[in-house]
Amino acid sequence: MEKLLYLALGAVLTWVFYFIQRRVEKRSAVEAIERNQKLLELKQGLDESNTNLDDLRRFEQRLIGKAETAARIADNYFTKAEEVARQSDDLAITHHDMNQQALAEFQQADARLATVVAHLRRQLDEETLAVFDEAHRSWLQFRDRYARFVSQSYAGGAIRPLIHAVTLESVTQLWTNELETQLGDESV
């Protein structure tokens, strides 16, 4: 009787184990099929749009570059805000000193932009160079108008020059980053 009980228990356990194993294997197979279907759809979409993996990598690099620049600019704003808060307690530092420092940082960003623009211009053919020069002139006008708009939205007149310089610097850094992505793998 004991043998019959063990035999029945063994049969039940074997049967339960078999169905659990089938269920697990089925889930893995279904997941693999779904993953392969998604990959096939992605490949078909890439083929239809004439996009390859190198294009996707370059796009990814551009996005990463823009995200890094945005993070640097945000960090720069945060640092400057901390600096202004610390310096507001220090009577020896005047608004003029803070404005001069912000202007110097803008001039540094503008010099970097000039270097990138010169490097990019050397890579362009005559027709593309003319288009780029027109776009860059328009961008410079936009930068100045945008910085003036942002600074004028502050009610206090004493802070306007600081905001103007900081805005010029941040917009210049963004444009520099955008142009650097156009250079591809070449460094300036």
Side-chain angles (χ1 to χ4, degrees):
M1 182 72 153
E2 213 173 281
K3 287 183 180 182
L4 188 58
L5 184 61
Y6 285 133
L7 182 63
L9 183 62
V12 169
L13 288 175
T14 303
W15 180 74
V16 169
F17 178 72
Y18 173 78
F19 282 107
I20 290 174
Q21 183 180 6
R22 297 291 357 139
R23 179 164 285 228
V24 169
E25 287 175 355
K26 182 180 177 185
R27 187 173 299 140
S28 298
V30 169
E31 289 173 356
I33 290 170
E34 289 174 354
R35 184 175 53 249
N36 288 335
Q37 284 177 334
K38 289 179 183 177
L39 287 173
L40 179 61
E41 289 172 7
L42 177 61
K43 182 173 180 354
Q44 288 172 342
L46 289 173
D47 290 343
E48 288 174 9
S49 66
N50 292 328
T51 304
N52 59 31
L53 289 177
D54 288 335
D55 294 338
L56 288 177
R57 284 188 189 106
R58 281 193 296 276
F59 179 68
E60 177 187 37
Q61 291 298 331
R62 287 187 70 191
L63 288 178
I64 289 171
K66 288 180 181 185
E68 288 172 347
T69 299
R72 276 195 314 269
I73 290 171
D75 185 52
N76 193 15
Y77 273 134
F78 184 74
T79 303
K80 286 181 182 173
E82 285 180 328
E83 218 173 279
V84 167
R86 275 194 310 271
Q87 291 174 354
S88 66
D89 295 336
D90 186 5
L91 297 177
I93 304 293
T94 66
H95 285 288
H96 177 73
D97 294 337
M98 288 188 288
N99 293 344
Q100 288 304 108
Q101 180 183 357
L103 186 59
E105 290 173 6
F106 159 66
Q107 290 169 342
Q108 185 179 15
D110 199 43
R112 172 78 178 136
L113 173 63
T115 302
V116 170
V117 166
H119 186 73
L120 182 60
R121 290 183 90 244
R122 287 191 298 270
Q123 295 180 355
L124 302 176
D125 62 31
E126 191 173 316
E127 182 180 334
T128 308
L129 180 61
V131 172
F132 171 74
D133 284 341
E134 180 182 340
H136 187 63
R137 274 191 304 278
S138 296
W139 180 85
L140 289 171
Q141 291 172 351
F142 160 78
R143 177 183 70 176
D144 293 337
R145 290 177 182 153
Y146 178 72
R148 188 172 53 241
F149 163 74
V150 170
S151 66
Q152 286 179 349
S153 64
Y154 284 83
I159 198 168
R160 281 186 179 169
L162 176 66
I163 298 299
H164 187 264
V166 168
T167 303
L168 284 172
E169 177 193 6
S170 66
V171 173
T172 301
Q173 288 175 346
L174 286 170
W175 182 239
T176 301
N177 184 58
E178 180 65 28
L179 294 178
E180 285 175 331
T181 62
Q182 299 303 319
L183 294 174
D185 294 333
E186 296 183 31
S187 58
V188 181

